[in-house]
Amino acid sequence: MAADLFLSGRVRTFARDEIIVSKTDRTGKITYANDVFIALSGYSEDELLGAPHSILRHPAMPRCVFRLLWDTIEKGDEIFAYVVNRAKNGDEYWVFAHVTPNFGPDGGIVGYHSNRRVPKDSAVETVKPLYAELLAMEQAAPDRKVGVERSYAALLAKVGELGFASYDQLIFAICR
């Protein structure tokens, strides 16, 4: 388990014209990974396929953002989010993610598709303090579930306090 928490302290990135692409089934298990994703993550295709997308979860990433992401895509909506990931060797890398549901012939959700681009440095610097605040709230709670509930409520409240109707609106304001 200790290897799961390993962080190298190094940051990696990818070219602005590259796009990380992955697809998952409804449970978040990876069904497709493009070459950019494989190279940046440091995992082989065999290691990624069938693995939960959370294999990339960085411990500095607040879980409430993933809850918001899952709540949104499970309703059939798309979402944009800034995410810090962890490569196999412990390096971190930030992405600007666009996640959408994939629909089957009957109109039901059959999986999810994510494109990730290099985020603007200014956007990452803007979102880091918010994520640190949310993460601290999660870690101070008596258990994980309570922590996510508290930080999720705080995230939604913060979006409203800043004058935005949704997290997506906040994210696009940060992009500018």
Side-chain angles (χ1 to χ4, degrees), residues 8 10-12 58 84-87 90-94 128:
S8 69
R10 292 183 303 266
V11 177
R12 42 171 86 183
H58 192 287
V84 60
N85 287 318
R86 181 183 56 206
D91 291 357
E92 76 174 44
Y93 60 97
W94 280 88
K128 275 183 179 181

Side-chain angles (χ1 to χ4, degrees), residues 88-158:
K88 183 178 180 179
N89 71 349
D91 291 357
E92 76 174 44
Y93 60 97
W94 280 88
V95 298
F96 180 55
H98 177 213
V99 186
T100 61
N102 290 333
F103 298 96
D106 67 353
I109 297 172
V110 296
Y112 303 100
H113 178 221
S114 179
N115 291 329
R116 275 111 47 222
R117 300 183 189 302
V118 174
K120 287 183 176 179
D121 292 339
S122 61
V124 170
E125 292 310 312
T126 299
V127 82
K128 275 183 179 181
L130 172 60
Y131 282 11
E133 180 182 328
L134 295 168
L135 184 64
M137 189 177 297
E138 290 176 6
Q139 293 173 337
D143 64 51
R144 183 183 292 177
K145 184 177 179 180
V146 170
V148 171
E149 290 299 322
R150 288 179 183 167
S151 63
Y152 185 77
L155 174 59
L156 297 180
K158 186 70 159 180

Side-chain angles (χ1 to χ4, degrees), residues 76-90:
D77 296 329
E78 67 181 349
I79 190 167
F80 292 85
Y82 289 99
V83 177
V84 60
N85 287 318
R86 181 183 56 206
K88 183 178 180 179
N89 71 349

